[in-house]
Amino acid sequence: ADRTWNVALVGVGNLGSALLAYRGFQERGFLFRAVVDAYAQKVGRTVQGLVVESARHLEELVKRHDIQIGLIAVPVQAAQSVCDQLIKGGVRAIVNFAPVRLEVPSTVRLRTVDLAIELESLAFYLAQAQT
């Protein structure tokens, strides 16, 4: 990659762990610099070579690691709070995997990926092709 981007992942559940394991990000210049989770039993563990930090320190971690892009892979009820903390830390681009609409200022670029909607779209296509 010609340019690199510092990325923070919030939420180290099944989806978050899968995102960390995907090597295509690094090949395209997206470098995970911070991995965060709210569950105490995950904090301090090493996942894909990165130590999981406490969600209480998210804003500080964003600043310390000069994070440009945040990935949100948390439960719906936590997503807006995580989004707000990322923005307070200085993040201006966010990919949200929680199936909820997030509110962000106009200065922040937000992309929401709802995998269920993507599957529904494909299923609709398949159903139409069979008729």
Side-chain angles (χ1 to χ4, degrees):
D2 293 340
R3 173 135 192 221
T4 59
W5 302 93
N6 293 336
V7 178
L9 170 69
V10 185
V12 192
N14 292 332
L15 178 58
S17 295
L19 291 168
L20 281 174
Y22 178 60
R23 292 290 160 225
F25 292 131
Q26 187 171 349
E27 293 169 5
R28 290 173 178 86
F30 300 101
L31 307 176
F32 285 99
R33 300 292 190 199
V35 180
V36 175
D37 204 283
Y39 292 105
Q41 59 268 38
K42 292 182 183 179
V43 173
R45 289 186 181 175
T46 300
V47 180
Q48 298 295 324
L50 295 164
V51 176
V52 178
E53 305 268 0
S54 171
R56 290 179 302 188
H57 306 296
L58 180 56
E59 186 178 337
E60 171 194 329
L61 290 166
V62 167
K63 291 175 183 175
R64 183 183 333 142
H65 295 289
D66 189 28
I67 301 297
Q68 290 115 1
I69 301 172
L71 298 182
I72 298 175
V74 300
V76 168
Q77 62 272 22
Q80 186 65 59
S81 174
V82 165
C83 180
D84 295 345
Q85 291 175 64
L86 287 168
I87 293 167
K88 283 181 186 174
V91 168
R92 293 291 171 253
I94 296 171
V95 179
N96 171 37
F97 288 95
V100 62
R101 180 176 165 80
L102 299 177
E103 298 295 324
V104 299
S106 61
T107 56
V108 174
R109 181 79 171 156
L110 173 68
R111 300 285 300 189
T112 296
V113 178
D114 188 327
L115 297 175
I117 288 175
E118 299 301 328
L119 287 172
E120 286 175 357
S121 175
L122 290 172
F124 177 80
Y125 167 79
L126 291 173
Q128 295 301 308
Q130 292 176 354
T131 58

